[in-house]
Amino acid sequence: MGIAGNSLHSKNVRLRFFSYIFMGILAFGALMYWKTQLYMTTEYVELQPTKHTIKHRAGIMKSSNYQLEEVEVSPSVQ
Protein backbone atom coordinates (compact mmCIF):
# COMPACT_ATOMS: atom_id res chain seq x y z
CA MET A 1 0.00 0.00 0.00
CA GLY A 2 1.36 3.42 -0.96
CA ILE A 3 1.83 6.46 1.22
CA ALA A 4 -1.32 8.60 1.47
CA GLY A 5 -0.97 12.32 0.78
CA ASN A 6 -0.05 14.84 -1.91
CA SER A 7 3.19 14.19 -3.84
CA LEU A 8 4.64 11.82 -1.26
CA HIS A 9 6.85 9.01 -2.42
CA SER A 10 9.39 6.73 -0.84
CA LYS A 11 12.93 7.40 -2.00
CA ASN A 12 14.96 4.30 -2.57
CA VAL A 13 18.40 5.88 -2.59
CA ARG A 14 20.26 2.60 -2.62
CA LEU A 15 18.46 1.37 -5.77
CA ARG A 16 19.10 4.68 -7.54
CA PHE A 17 22.80 4.55 -6.61
CA PHE A 18 23.22 0.98 -7.88
CA SER A 19 21.31 1.79 -11.07
CA TYR A 20 23.73 4.68 -11.76
CA ILE A 21 26.69 2.36 -11.19
CA PHE A 22 25.15 -0.31 -13.43
CA MET A 23 24.45 2.18 -16.23
CA GLY A 24 28.02 3.49 -15.98
CA ILE A 25 29.41 -0.03 -16.31
CA LEU A 26 27.18 -0.64 -19.34
CA ALA A 27 28.27 2.63 -20.96
CA PHE A 28 31.95 1.84 -20.33
CA GLY A 29 31.53 -1.66 -21.76
CA ALA A 30 29.79 -0.30 -24.86
CA LEU A 31 32.59 2.23 -25.35
CA MET A 32 35.29 -0.44 -25.02
CA TYR A 33 33.46 -2.73 -27.45
CA TRP A 34 33.12 0.11 -29.97
CA LYS A 35 36.82 1.01 -29.72
CA THR A 36 37.87 -2.64 -30.09
CA GLN A 37 35.74 -3.05 -33.21
CA LEU A 38 37.10 0.22 -34.60
CA TYR A 39 40.70 -0.92 -34.15
CA MET A 40 39.98 -4.32 -35.68
CA THR A 41 38.36 -2.91 -38.82
CA THR A 42 40.88 -0.14 -39.45
CA GLU A 43 43.17 -0.79 -42.39
CA TYR A 44 46.73 0.31 -41.89
CA VAL A 45 49.01 1.19 -44.79
CA GLU A 46 52.64 0.25 -44.43
CA LEU A 47 54.82 2.96 -45.90
CA GLN A 48 58.05 1.88 -47.52
CA PRO A 49 61.19 3.82 -46.60
CA THR A 50 62.10 6.52 -49.10
CA LYS A 51 65.31 5.86 -50.99
CA HIS A 52 67.50 8.69 -52.24
CA THR A 53 70.65 8.35 -54.28
CA ILE A 54 73.55 10.52 -53.21
CA LYS A 55 74.83 12.79 -55.92
CA HIS A 56 78.57 12.51 -56.37
CA ARG A 57 80.30 15.86 -55.98
CA ALA A 58 83.78 16.51 -57.33
CA GLY A 59 85.12 13.03 -56.78
CA ILE A 60 83.90 12.73 -53.18
CA MET A 61 82.44 9.30 -52.50
CA LYS A 62 82.80 8.32 -56.11
CA SER A 63 83.30 4.74 -57.19
CA SER A 64 82.75 2.93 -60.44
CA ASN A 65 81.98 -0.34 -58.62
CA TYR A 66 78.88 0.63 -56.66
CA GLN A 67 76.30 3.34 -56.17
CA LEU A 68 75.66 4.71 -52.70
CA GLU A 69 72.05 4.81 -51.47
CA GLU A 70 70.58 6.62 -48.53
CA VAL A 71 67.56 5.19 -46.75
CA GLU A 72 65.60 7.82 -44.87
CA VAL A 73 64.43 6.61 -41.50
CA SER A 74 62.06 8.86 -39.64
CA PRO A 75 60.75 8.14 -36.12
CA SER A 76 57.27 9.17 -37.19
CA VAL A 77 57.12 6.56 -39.99
CA GLN A 78 57.29 3.00 -38.74
Side-chain angles (χ1 to χ4, degrees):
M1 189 165 152
I3 301 173
N6 289 336
S7 63
L8 294 175
H9 58 280
S10 69
K11 296 180 179 180
N12 193 346
V13 178
R14 196 178 309 150
L15 177 64
R16 190 178 338 150
F17 175 73
F18 285 127
S19 65
Y20 289 155
I21 297 295
F22 182 70
M23 296 296 267
I25 291 171
L26 282 179
F28 184 72
L31 181 69
M32 289 295 106
Y33 177 76
W34 173 69
K35 289 298 258 183
T36 303
Q37 293 301 317
L38 181 67
Y39 285 136
M40 286 180 164
T41 58
T42 303
E43 295 181 13
Y44 293 99
V45 177
E46 289 190 28
L47 300 175
Q48 299 297 327
T50 307
K51 293 184 178 181
H52 298 284
T53 57
I54 298 175
K55 295 181 180 179
H56 304 294
R57 289 179 250 129
I60 299 173
M61 298 174 69
K62 185 175 182 181
S63 174
S64 60
N65 297 331
Y66 59 91
Q67 181 179 4
L68 298 175
E69 289 186 358
E70 176 185 326
V71 177
E72 183 178 333
V73 179
S74 175
S76 62
V77 178
Q78 296 180 2

Short mmCIF file of all heavy atoms in Angstrom, two decimals, residues 12-62:
data_model
loop_
_atom_site.label_atom_id
_atom_site.label_comp_id
_atom_site.label_asym_id
_atom_site.label_seq_id
_atom_site.Cartn_x
_atom_site.Cartn_y
_atom_site.Cartn_z
N ASN A 12 14.08 5.45 -2.74
CA ASN A 12 14.96 4.30 -2.57
C ASN A 12 16.33 4.73 -3.09
O ASN A 12 16.67 4.53 -4.26
CB ASN A 12 14.41 3.10 -3.35
CG ASN A 12 15.10 1.82 -2.96
OD1 ASN A 12 16.14 1.86 -2.32
ND2 ASN A 12 14.51 0.70 -3.36
N VAL A 13 17.12 5.31 -2.22
CA VAL A 13 18.40 5.88 -2.59
C VAL A 13 19.38 4.80 -3.01
O VAL A 13 20.16 4.97 -3.96
CB VAL A 13 18.97 6.72 -1.42
CG1 VAL A 13 20.33 7.29 -1.78
CG2 VAL A 13 18.01 7.80 -1.03
N ARG A 14 19.33 3.68 -2.31
CA ARG A 14 20.26 2.60 -2.62
C ARG A 14 20.02 2.04 -4.03
O ARG A 14 20.98 1.80 -4.77
CB ARG A 14 20.10 1.50 -1.59
CG ARG A 14 21.27 0.53 -1.59
CD ARG A 14 21.13 -0.55 -0.54
NE ARG A 14 20.86 0.02 0.77
CZ ARG A 14 20.15 -0.60 1.71
NH1 ARG A 14 19.65 -1.80 1.48
NH2 ARG A 14 19.93 -0.04 2.88
N LEU A 15 18.78 1.86 -4.42
CA LEU A 15 18.46 1.37 -5.77
C LEU A 15 18.90 2.37 -6.82
O LEU A 15 19.46 1.99 -7.85
CB LEU A 15 16.95 1.10 -5.89
CG LEU A 15 16.48 0.64 -7.27
CD1 LEU A 15 17.12 -0.71 -7.61
CD2 LEU A 15 14.98 0.56 -7.31
N ARG A 16 18.68 3.65 -6.59
CA ARG A 16 19.10 4.68 -7.54
C ARG A 16 20.62 4.69 -7.69
O ARG A 16 21.16 4.79 -8.79
CB ARG A 16 18.61 6.04 -7.06
CG ARG A 16 18.81 7.11 -8.11
CD ARG A 16 18.30 8.46 -7.69
NE ARG A 16 17.29 8.40 -6.63
CZ ARG A 16 17.10 9.35 -5.74
NH1 ARG A 16 17.85 10.42 -5.75
NH2 ARG A 16 16.17 9.24 -4.82
N PHE A 17 21.33 4.57 -6.58
CA PHE A 17 22.80 4.55 -6.61
C PHE A 17 23.32 3.35 -7.42
O PHE A 17 24.18 3.51 -8.28
CB PHE A 17 23.35 4.50 -5.18
CG PHE A 17 24.84 4.37 -5.11
CD1 PHE A 17 25.66 5.43 -5.43
CD2 PHE A 17 25.41 3.17 -4.74
CE1 PHE A 17 27.03 5.31 -5.37
CE2 PHE A 17 26.78 3.03 -4.67
CZ PHE A 17 27.61 4.11 -4.98
N PHE A 18 22.77 2.16 -7.14
CA PHE A 18 23.22 0.98 -7.88
C PHE A 18 22.81 1.04 -9.35
O PHE A 18 23.53 0.52 -10.21
CB PHE A 18 22.69 -0.30 -7.22
CG PHE A 18 23.43 -0.64 -5.95
CD1 PHE A 18 22.74 -0.87 -4.78
CD2 PHE A 18 24.80 -0.73 -5.93
CE1 PHE A 18 23.40 -1.18 -3.61
CE2 PHE A 18 25.48 -1.03 -4.77
CZ PHE A 18 24.78 -1.27 -3.60
N SER A 19 21.69 1.66 -9.65
CA SER A 19 21.31 1.79 -11.07
C SER A 19 22.27 2.74 -11.80
O SER A 19 22.61 2.50 -12.96
CB SER A 19 19.86 2.26 -11.21
OG SER A 19 19.72 3.56 -10.68
N TYR A 20 22.73 3.80 -11.14
CA TYR A 20 23.73 4.68 -11.76
C TYR A 20 25.03 3.93 -12.01
O TYR A 20 25.65 4.07 -13.07
CB TYR A 20 24.01 5.90 -10.89
CG TYR A 20 22.89 6.91 -10.83
CD1 TYR A 20 22.76 7.75 -9.74
CD2 TYR A 20 21.96 7.02 -11.85
CE1 TYR A 20 21.75 8.69 -9.67
CE2 TYR A 20 20.94 7.95 -11.79
CZ TYR A 20 20.84 8.78 -10.70
OH TYR A 20 19.84 9.70 -10.64
N ILE A 21 25.46 3.15 -11.03
CA ILE A 21 26.69 2.36 -11.19
C ILE A 21 26.54 1.36 -12.34
O ILE A 21 27.42 1.22 -13.19
CB ILE A 21 27.05 1.63 -9.88
CG1 ILE A 21 27.33 2.63 -8.77
CG2 ILE A 21 28.22 0.69 -10.07
CD1 ILE A 21 28.55 3.50 -9.00
N PHE A 22 25.39 0.68 -12.39
CA PHE A 22 25.15 -0.31 -13.43
C PHE A 22 25.12 0.34 -14.81
O PHE A 22 25.70 -0.19 -15.77
CB PHE A 22 23.83 -1.04 -13.15
CG PHE A 22 23.51 -2.11 -14.15
CD1 PHE A 22 24.25 -3.28 -14.20
CD2 PHE A 22 22.48 -1.94 -15.05
CE1 PHE A 22 23.97 -4.27 -15.13
CE2 PHE A 22 22.19 -2.91 -15.98
CZ PHE A 22 22.93 -4.08 -16.01
N MET A 23 24.48 1.48 -14.93
CA MET A 23 24.45 2.18 -16.23
C MET A 23 25.84 2.66 -16.63
O MET A 23 26.18 2.65 -17.82
CB MET A 23 23.47 3.36 -16.16
CG MET A 23 22.04 2.94 -15.93
SD MET A 23 21.41 1.97 -17.27
CE MET A 23 20.68 3.26 -18.23
N GLY A 24 26.64 3.08 -15.68
CA GLY A 24 28.02 3.49 -15.98
C GLY A 24 28.84 2.33 -16.48
O GLY A 24 29.63 2.48 -17.43
N ILE A 25 28.69 1.17 -15.86
CA ILE A 25 29.41 -0.03 -16.31
C ILE A 25 28.97 -0.41 -17.71
O ILE A 25 29.80 -0.76 -18.57
CB ILE A 25 29.22 -1.18 -15.32
CG1 ILE A 25 29.95 -0.85 -14.00
CG2 ILE A 25 29.72 -2.50 -15.89
CD1 ILE A 25 29.66 -1.83 -12.88
N LEU A 26 27.67 -0.33 -17.99
CA LEU A 26 27.18 -0.64 -19.34
C LEU A 26 27.72 0.34 -20.37
O LEU A 26 28.12 -0.07 -21.47
CB LEU A 26 25.65 -0.61 -19.36
CG LEU A 26 24.93 -1.82 -18.79
CD1 LEU A 26 23.42 -1.62 -18.87
CD2 LEU A 26 25.33 -3.08 -19.52
N ALA A 27 27.75 1.63 -20.03
CA ALA A 27 28.27 2.63 -20.96
C ALA A 27 29.76 2.41 -21.21
O ALA A 27 30.22 2.51 -22.35
CB ALA A 27 28.03 4.03 -20.41
N PHE A 28 30.52 2.10 -20.17
CA PHE A 28 31.95 1.84 -20.33
C PHE A 28 32.19 0.60 -21.18
O PHE A 28 33.06 0.59 -22.05
CB PHE A 28 32.61 1.68 -18.96
CG PHE A 28 34.09 1.51 -19.02
CD1 PHE A 28 34.92 2.58 -19.34
CD2 PHE A 28 34.66 0.28 -18.75
CE1 PHE A 28 36.28 2.42 -19.40
CE2 PHE A 28 36.02 0.11 -18.81
CZ PHE A 28 36.84 1.18 -19.13
N GLY A 29 31.41 -0.44 -20.96
CA GLY A 29 31.53 -1.66 -21.76
C GLY A 29 31.20 -1.41 -23.23
O GLY A 29 31.87 -1.93 -24.13
N ALA A 30 30.16 -0.63 -23.48
CA ALA A 30 29.79 -0.30 -24.86
C ALA A 30 30.89 0.50 -25.54
O ALA A 30 31.21 0.28 -26.71
CB ALA A 30 28.47 0.46 -24.90
N LEU A 31 31.49 1.43 -24.80
CA LEU A 31 32.59 2.23 -25.35
C LEU A 31 33.79 1.37 -25.68
O LEU A 31 34.40 1.50 -26.74
CB LEU A 31 32.98 3.33 -24.36
CG LEU A 31 34.09 4.26 -24.81
CD1 LEU A 31 33.62 5.14 -25.95
CD2 LEU A 31 34.56 5.11 -23.65
N MET A 32 34.15 0.45 -24.78
CA MET A 32 35.29 -0.44 -25.02
C MET A 32 35.03 -1.37 -26.20
O MET A 32 35.91 -1.63 -27.01
CB MET A 32 35.61 -1.26 -23.77
CG MET A 32 36.22 -0.47 -22.65
SD MET A 32 37.84 0.19 -23.06
CE MET A 32 37.48 1.90 -23.29
N TYR A 33 33.81 -1.87 -26.31
CA TYR A 33 33.46 -2.73 -27.45
C TYR A 33 33.56 -1.95 -28.76
O TYR A 33 34.10 -2.46 -29.74
CB TYR A 33 32.04 -3.28 -27.26
CG TYR A 33 31.58 -4.11 -28.43
CD1 TYR A 33 32.04 -5.41 -28.61
CD2 TYR A 33 30.69 -3.59 -29.37
CE1 TYR A 33 31.63 -6.18 -29.68
CE2 TYR A 33 30.27 -4.34 -30.45
CZ TYR A 33 30.75 -5.63 -30.60
OH TYR A 33 30.36 -6.38 -31.67
N TRP A 34 33.06 -0.73 -28.77
CA TRP A 34 33.12 0.11 -29.97
C TRP A 34 34.56 0.38 -30.37
O TRP A 34 34.91 0.28 -31.55
CB TRP A 34 32.37 1.40 -29.71
CG TRP A 34 32.50 2.39 -30.82
CD1 TRP A 34 31.98 2.30 -32.08
CD2 TRP A 34 33.24 3.61 -30.79
NE1 TRP A 34 32.33 3.40 -32.82
CE2 TRP A 34 33.11 4.23 -32.04
CE3 TRP A 34 33.99 4.25 -29.79
CZ2 TRP A 34 33.71 5.42 -32.34
CZ3 TRP A 34 34.57 5.46 -30.09
CH2 TRP A 34 34.43 6.03 -31.36
N LYS A 35 35.43 0.73 -29.40
CA LYS A 35 36.82 1.01 -29.72
C LYS A 35 37.54 -0.24 -30.23
O LYS A 35 38.35 -0.18 -31.15
CB LYS A 35 37.55 1.56 -28.49
CG LYS A 35 37.14 2.96 -28.12
CD LYS A 35 37.47 3.93 -29.21
CE LYS A 35 38.71 4.70 -28.87
NZ LYS A 35 39.03 5.72 -29.86
N THR A 36 37.25 -1.39 -29.65
CA THR A 36 37.87 -2.64 -30.09
C THR A 36 37.47 -2.94 -31.53
O THR A 36 38.31 -3.31 -32.35
CB THR A 36 37.45 -3.79 -29.18
OG1 THR A 36 37.81 -3.47 -27.84
CG2 THR A 36 38.14 -5.08 -29.58
N GLN A 37 36.20 -2.80 -31.84
CA GLN A 37 35.74 -3.05 -33.21
C GLN A 37 36.34 -2.04 -34.18
O GLN A 37 36.67 -2.38 -35.32
CB GLN A 37 34.21 -3.01 -33.28
CG GLN A 37 33.55 -4.14 -32.53
CD GLN A 37 33.98 -5.49 -33.05
OE1 GLN A 37 34.05 -5.73 -34.24
NE2 GLN A 37 34.27 -6.40 -32.13
N LEU A 38 36.50 -0.80 -33.75
CA LEU A 38 37.10 0.22 -34.60
C LEU A 38 38.55 -0.11 -34.92
O LEU A 38 38.98 -0.01 -36.06
CB LEU A 38 37.01 1.58 -33.91
CG LEU A 38 37.57 2.78 -34.68
CD1 LEU A 38 36.70 3.05 -35.91
CD2 LEU A 38 37.61 4.00 -33.79
N TYR A 39 39.31 -0.55 -33.92
CA TYR A 39 40.70 -0.92 -34.15
C TYR A 39 40.83 -2.16 -35.01
O TYR A 39 41.77 -2.30 -35.78
CB TYR A 39 41.43 -1.14 -32.82
CG TYR A 39 41.76 0.15 -32.10
CD1 TYR A 39 41.54 0.28 -30.74
CD2 TYR A 39 42.27 1.25 -32.77
CE1 TYR A 39 41.83 1.45 -30.07
CE2 TYR A 39 42.55 2.43 -32.12
CZ TYR A 39 42.34 2.52 -30.76
OH TYR A 39 42.62 3.69 -30.12
N MET A 40 39.90 -3.09 -34.89
CA MET A 40 39.98 -4.32 -35.68
C MET A 40 39.66 -4.07 -37.15
O MET A 40 40.21 -4.73 -38.03
CB MET A 40 39.02 -5.37 -35.13
CG MET A 40 39.48 -6.00 -33.86
SD MET A 40 38.27 -7.21 -33.34
CE MET A 40 39.20 -8.12 -32.14
N THR A 41 38.77 -3.13 -37.44
CA THR A 41 38.36 -2.91 -38.82
C THR A 41 39.18 -1.84 -39.54
O THR A 41 39.00 -1.64 -40.72
CB THR A 41 36.88 -2.49 -38.88
OG1 THR A 41 36.69 -1.31 -38.10
CG2 THR A 41 35.99 -3.59 -38.36
N THR A 42 40.07 -1.18 -38.82
CA THR A 42 40.88 -0.14 -39.45
C THR A 42 41.97 -0.78 -40.29
O THR A 42 42.63 -1.71 -39.86
CB THR A 42 41.53 0.76 -38.37
OG1 THR A 42 40.50 1.30 -37.56
CG2 THR A 42 42.32 1.88 -39.00
N GLU A 43 42.13 -0.28 -41.50
CA GLU A 43 43.17 -0.79 -42.39
C GLU A 43 44.38 0.14 -42.29
O GLU A 43 44.26 1.34 -42.44
CB GLU A 43 42.68 -0.83 -43.83
CG GLU A 43 41.54 -1.81 -44.04
CD GLU A 43 41.10 -1.84 -45.49
OE1 GLU A 43 41.82 -1.29 -46.35
OE2 GLU A 43 40.04 -2.40 -45.75
N TYR A 44 45.50 -0.46 -42.01
CA TYR A 44 46.73 0.31 -41.89
C TYR A 44 47.56 0.14 -43.15
O TYR A 44 47.64 -0.95 -43.72
CB TYR A 44 47.54 -0.15 -40.68
CG TYR A 44 46.87 0.17 -39.37
CD1 TYR A 44 46.15 -0.80 -38.69
CD2 TYR A 44 46.94 1.44 -38.84
CE1 TYR A 44 45.53 -0.50 -37.50
CE2 TYR A 44 46.32 1.75 -37.66
CZ TYR A 44 45.62 0.77 -36.98
OH TYR A 44 45.01 1.08 -35.81
N VAL A 45 48.17 1.22 -43.60
CA VAL A 45 49.01 1.19 -44.79
C VAL A 45 50.46 1.24 -44.34
O VAL A 45 50.86 2.13 -43.60
CB VAL A 45 48.70 2.41 -45.70
CG1 VAL A 45 49.62 2.42 -46.90
CG2 VAL A 45 47.25 2.39 -46.12
N GLU A 46 51.23 0.25 -44.77
CA GLU A 46 52.64 0.25 -44.43
C GLU A 46 53.39 1.07 -45.46
O GLU A 46 53.34 0.79 -46.65
CB GLU A 46 53.18 -1.18 -44.40
CG GLU A 46 52.68 -1.98 -43.24
CD GLU A 46 53.41 -3.29 -43.11
OE1 GLU A 46 54.58 -3.37 -43.52
OE2 GLU A 46 52.80 -4.24 -42.61
N LEU A 47 54.06 2.10 -45.01
CA LEU A 47 54.82 2.96 -45.90
C LEU A 47 56.24 2.43 -46.04
O LEU A 47 56.89 2.13 -45.04
CB LEU A 47 54.84 4.39 -45.35
CG LEU A 47 53.47 5.05 -45.18
CD1 LEU A 47 53.65 6.40 -44.52
CD2 LEU A 47 52.80 5.21 -46.52
N GLN A 48 56.69 2.34 -47.27
CA GLN A 48 58.05 1.88 -47.52
C GLN A 48 59.01 3.03 -47.28
O GLN A 48 58.67 4.18 -47.53
CB GLN A 48 58.17 1.38 -48.97
CG GLN A 48 57.26 0.21 -49.27
CD GLN A 48 57.58 -1.02 -48.45
OE1 GLN A 48 58.74 -1.26 -48.14
NE2 GLN A 48 56.57 -1.77 -48.09
N PRO A 49 60.22 2.73 -46.81
CA PRO A 49 61.19 3.82 -46.60
C PRO A 49 61.58 4.47 -47.93
O PRO A 49 61.68 3.80 -48.95
CB PRO A 49 62.38 3.14 -45.95
CG PRO A 49 62.19 1.69 -46.17
CD PRO A 49 60.74 1.45 -46.41
N THR A 50 61.74 5.77 -47.90
CA THR A 50 62.10 6.52 -49.10
C THR A 50 63.59 6.34 -49.37
O THR A 50 64.41 6.48 -48.47
CB THR A 50 61.79 8.01 -48.89
OG1 THR A 50 60.44 8.13 -48.46
CG2 THR A 50 61.99 8.79 -50.16
N LYS A 51 63.92 6.04 -50.61
CA LYS A 51 65.31 5.86 -50.99
C LYS A 51 65.76 7.04 -51.84
O LYS A 51 65.07 7.45 -52.76
CB LYS A 51 65.51 4.56 -51.77
CG LYS A 51 65.26 3.32 -50.94
CD LYS A 51 65.55 2.08 -51.73
CE LYS A 51 65.33 0.85 -50.87
NZ LYS A 51 65.64 -0.37 -51.61
N HIS A 52 66.91 7.59 -51.50
CA HIS A 52 67.50 8.69 -52.24
C HIS A 52 68.91 8.28 -52.65
O HIS A 52 69.64 7.69 -51.86
CB HIS A 52 67.59 9.96 -51.39
CG HIS A 52 66.26 10.47 -50.94
ND1 HIS A 52 65.40 11.13 -51.77
CD2 HIS A 52 65.63 10.41 -49.75
CE1 HIS A 52 64.31 11.45 -51.12
NE2 HIS A 52 64.43 11.03 -49.87
N THR A 53 69.27 8.59 -53.87
CA THR A 53 70.65 8.35 -54.28
C THR A 53 71.46 9.60 -54.00
O THR A 53 70.99 10.72 -54.18
CB THR A 53 70.74 7.99 -55.77
OG1 THR A 53 70.15 9.05 -56.52
CG2 THR A 53 70.00 6.69 -56.06
N ILE A 54 72.67 9.39 -53.52
CA ILE A 54 73.55 10.52 -53.21
C ILE A 54 74.23 10.96 -54.49
O ILE A 54 74.80 10.17 -55.23
CB ILE A 54 74.60 10.11 -52.16
CG1 ILE A 54 73.91 9.70 -50.87
CG2 ILE A 54 75.58 11.23 -51.90
CD1 ILE A 54 74.85 9.15 -49.82
N LYS A 55 74.14 12.25 -54.75
CA LYS A 55 74.83 12.79 -55.92
C LYS A 55 76.32 12.90 -55.60
O LYS A 55 76.70 13.35 -54.53
CB LYS A 55 74.25 14.17 -56.26
CG LYS A 55 72.81 14.11 -56.70
CD LYS A 55 72.30 15.47 -57.06
CE LYS A 55 70.85 15.37 -57.49
NZ LYS A 55 70.28 16.67 -57.82
N HIS A 56 77.11 12.49 -56.55
CA HIS A 56 78.57 12.51 -56.37
C HIS A 56 79.08 13.90 -56.72
O HIS A 56 78.84 14.41 -57.80
CB HIS A 56 79.22 11.45 -57.24
CG HIS A 56 78.66 10.07 -56.98
ND1 HIS A 56 78.84 9.42 -55.79
CD2 HIS A 56 77.91 9.25 -57.74
CE1 HIS A 56 78.23 8.24 -55.84
NE2 HIS A 56 77.66 8.12 -57.02
N ARG A 57 79.79 14.51 -55.77
CA ARG A 57 80.30 15.86 -55.98
C ARG A 57 81.82 15.82 -56.06
O ARG A 57 82.48 15.40 -55.13
CB ARG A 57 79.90 16.76 -54.80
CG ARG A 57 78.43 17.07 -54.79
CD ARG A 57 78.09 17.95 -53.60
NE ARG A 57 77.31 17.11 -52.68
CZ ARG A 57 77.56 16.95 -51.41
NH1 ARG A 57 78.55 17.57 -50.84
NH2 ARG A 57 76.82 16.17 -50.68
N ALA A 58 82.34 16.27 -57.14
CA ALA A 58 83.78 16.51 -57.33
C ALA A 58 84.65 15.37 -56.82
O ALA A 58 85.62 15.58 -56.11
CB ALA A 58 84.17 17.83 -56.67
N GLY A 59 84.28 14.16 -57.15
CA GLY A 59 85.12 13.03 -56.78
C GLY A 59 84.94 12.52 -55.36
O GLY A 59 85.56 11.54 -54.98
N ILE A 60 84.12 13.19 -54.55
CA ILE A 60 83.90 12.73 -53.18
C ILE A 60 82.91 11.57 -53.22
O ILE A 60 81.86 11.64 -53.84
CB ILE A 60 83.35 13.87 -52.29
CG1 ILE A 60 84.34 15.02 -52.25
CG2 ILE A 60 83.05 13.37 -50.90
CD1 ILE A 60 83.80 16.25 -51.55
N MET A 61 83.27 10.50 -52.58
CA MET A 61 82.44 9.30 -52.50
C MET A 61 82.08 8.80 -53.89
O MET A 61 80.95 8.42 -54.17
CB MET A 61 81.16 9.57 -51.67
CG MET A 61 81.42 9.96 -50.25
SD MET A 61 79.95 10.43 -49.36
CE MET A 61 79.13 8.88 -49.23
N LYS A 62 83.04 8.75 -54.74
CA LYS A 62 82.80 8.32 -56.11
C LYS A 62 83.48 6.98 -56.32
O LYS A 62 84.64 6.80 -55.98
CB LYS A 62 83.34 9.36 -57.09
CG LYS A 62 83.03 9.07 -58.53
CD LYS A 62 83.50 10.19 -59.40
CE LYS A 62 83.13 9.90 -60.85
NZ LYS A 62 83.60 10.95 -61.73
#
